[in-house]
Amino acid sequence: MAPAVKPALRRGWRDLNTVQFGMAPAHALTLGPVDTATGSFLDLLNGTRGLPLLREEGRRMDLPDGHVDQLVERLARAGLLDDARGGGPAADELRSRKEVMARLRPDLASLSLLTTEPGEAIARLAARRSLRVQVRGAGRVGTVLASLLAGAGIGEVDVRDVGRVEAGDVAPGGLPAESVGERREEAARRAVRRAAPDRPPRRGRADRLSAGEPGFSLVILAPRDDVAVHAPAPSTAEPLIASGTPHLYAGVVEATGVVGPLVLPGETSCAGCLHEARTDRDPAWPRLVAQWRSGGSRPGRACDVTLATTVAGLAAAHALSFLDGQLPTTAGARWEVSLPGLTWHARPVWAHPACPCGTAEKGKGERPSKDEESHETMAGQRSPGKLCREADVARPAGTWRAHV
């Protein structure tokens, strides 16, 4: 192990005996009491020394026997410590790719704030390289979203769509102006390859199938059709439900951005549940959807570039959270934001007993009340938070006290 205090957290002294790591309340933590010698020793925890050398340095600084090991252990339990050599063989292989690591350094720093075990952050980053994600839709939302996932280190991002690029598909970070008139799918895949820090070898579908590659870890449905965004057809996702493939919805409809739900087949509500619940609340809903779908495409969809990019960014963040092993808030909910207010709302999507996905039957007895069904959670609303967590090296590891 080569211990390193996480460099993503800025350090400052609150007083002569207390060190604060981090500025943002979500990840800040204070450590105390810390004497002057221990404070100086923290500078040596930079990933360039193993424990034997650190113990020698501690003796030169007249630190008590065992103090270095105790400090390292408690910093690790507090989530403040990383391991510059940890993460396993996949992490070692990633470290060997200097140019790739230079591109992904900010992503690694961000992951270090979301993990607690030393070496866990680079292990997650390395694991992304083995993942396969498909984005269905190569418009202003889908192409930017796919490029973001590739730029974050996802090993393979496959984009699917039909038709040719139109001028209205062009967006910064997505399809460039020179791609107008080209096949949309091919142009989007080129954008994805440009965004990736490490370009995998190009292979056709037949090559992938013959290699026996696994299915997609996640499929993202980002249709250019605004009706498909507002009222996703349950039939579109039936093969994904049947195969147990997680999938996430994202798009823009009439100056309203939508991210979610994230569907974990058999575990969380799906597009069918959404359709059934809407029909319960509004008997005219199926009639309206049928008219919208038969109305044909509209030449001027309200999908301005800033809202589309915002939606793509949030959807990519939720996708990465899931792919990294977390359960984002889009599981069982649709996040929506509309111009000009730009206030995000989380609208629950409950499992419906009439939906053939079977999620409601599995969670029987957890059906919400009518009041709960109409509840909307506004982004930004939160209970009074804590400035930071505080750990004390003189206390048993794992003991926390709040500092307000």
Side-chain angles (χ1 to χ4, degrees):
M1 182 178 181
V5 175
K6 293 180 178 178
L9 295 171
R10 287 188 177 271
R11 193 190 318 170
W13 289 85
R14 298 188 63 85
D15 52 44
L16 292 176
N17 300 303
T18 309
V19 185
Q20 178 171 319
F21 296 86
M23 299 181 291
H27 302 292
L29 183 146
T30 57
L31 179 69
V34 177
D35 56 62
T36 304
T38 301
S40 300
F41 183 81
L42 290 174
D43 293 329
L44 303 180
L45 296 174
N46 55 16
T48 62
R49 302 169 180 84
L51 279 173
L53 184 55
L54 287 171
R55 293 186 188 108
E56 290 181 17
E57 297 286 355
R59 284 192 289 270
R60 290 194 193 99
M61 299 172 68
D62 295 325
L63 294 176
D65 290 341
H67 186 75
V68 169
D69 290 82
Q70 183 185 43
L71 178 64
V72 168
E73 178 186 356
R74 292 189 174 176
L75 286 171
R77 292 198 180 189
L80 287 170
L81 208 63
D82 212 339
D83 182 3
R85 302 172 190 165
D92 291 337
E93 200 276 334
L94 179 57
R95 287 192 193 95
S96 69
R97 297 175 175 265
K98 302 299 183 184
E99 293 183 1
V100 176
M101 277 303 301
R103 282 275 302 272
L104 294 174
R105 189 73 60 186
D107 302 85
L108 177 60
S110 180
L111 277 172
S112 74
L113 302 182
L114 311 180
T115 56
T116 56
E117 294 296 323
E120 185 180 355
I122 195 166
R124 288 192 184 184
L125 189 63
R128 289 180 180 180
R129 303 178 71 210
S130 64
L131 300 178
R132 303 178 66 229
V133 175
Q134 185 179 77
V135 178
R136 298 182 182 178
R140 281 188 161 185
V141 174
T143 306
V144 174
L145 200 166
S147 298
L148 288 171
L149 293 177
I154 298 300
E156 181 181 341
V157 182
D158 179 49
V159 185
R160 295 297 175 94
D161 208 337
V162 297
R164 296 188 177 272
V165 178
E166 301 174 1
D169 296 321
V170 173
L175 294 169
E178 56 268 23
S179 67
V180 173
E182 298 178 355
R183 289 184 59 187
R184 184 177 280 111
E185 190 172 276
E186 292 181 359
R189 289 176 177 174
R190 280 199 304 273
V192 168
R193 288 195 295 271
R194 285 195 299 269
D198 189 16
R199 298 183 181 181
R202 296 179 63 181
R203 290 181 292 171
R205 183 171 182 270
D207 294 332
R208 294 196 301 269
L209 291 176
S210 63
E213 290 188 4
F216 293 104
S217 303
L218 178 68
V219 171
I220 302 176
L221 300 142
R224 291 175 289 110
D225 175 50
D226 52 1
V227 178
V229 174
H230 186 58
S235 58
T236 302
E238 284 178 357
L240 299 174
I241 296 287
S243 63
T245 304
H247 48 285
L248 173 69
Y249 293 87
V252 174
V253 50
E254 297 179 354
T256 297
V258 179
V259 179
L262 168 66
V263 182
L264 309 179
E267 300 291 336
T268 65
S269 51
C270 67
C273 297
L274 176 65
H275 176 77
E276 295 293 345
R278 282 172 162 174
T279 302
D280 287 347
R281 293 194 300 267
D282 182 5
W285 174 256
R287 187 181 307 116
L288 289 170
V289 173
Q291 294 175 68
W292 294 333
R293 289 176 179 161
S294 63
S297 61
R298 301 178 65 85
R301 294 188 297 272
C303 179
D304 73 274
V305 69
T306 57
L307 182 59
T309 304
T310 300
V311 169
L314 184 65
H318 278 255
L320 287 172
S321 178
F322 169 71
L323 293 168
D324 288 337
Q326 307 300 315
L327 188 64
T329 55
T330 39
R334 274 165 61 105
W335 282 92
E336 298 181 5
V337 62
S338 298
L339 297 173
L342 292 173
T343 299
W344 285 97
H345 299 264
R347 305 185 186 278
V349 181
W350 305 108
H352 198 284
C355 181
C357 73
T359 304
E361 185 63 27
K362 186 171 184 178
K364 198 171 183 179
E366 299 178 4
R367 182 70 179 165
S369 65
K370 290 294 183 181
D371 290 339
E372 289 175 316
E373 286 185 343
S374 62
H375 177 69
E376 297 174 1
T377 302
M378 295 181 63
Q381 287 185 344
R382 53 180 295 182
S383 58
K386 296 178 175 61
L387 172 64
C388 53
R389 299 168 294 165
E390 184 169 313
D392 190 328
V393 292
R395 298 182 176 192
T399 300
W400 305 95
R401 68 172 185 264
H403 181 91
V404 179

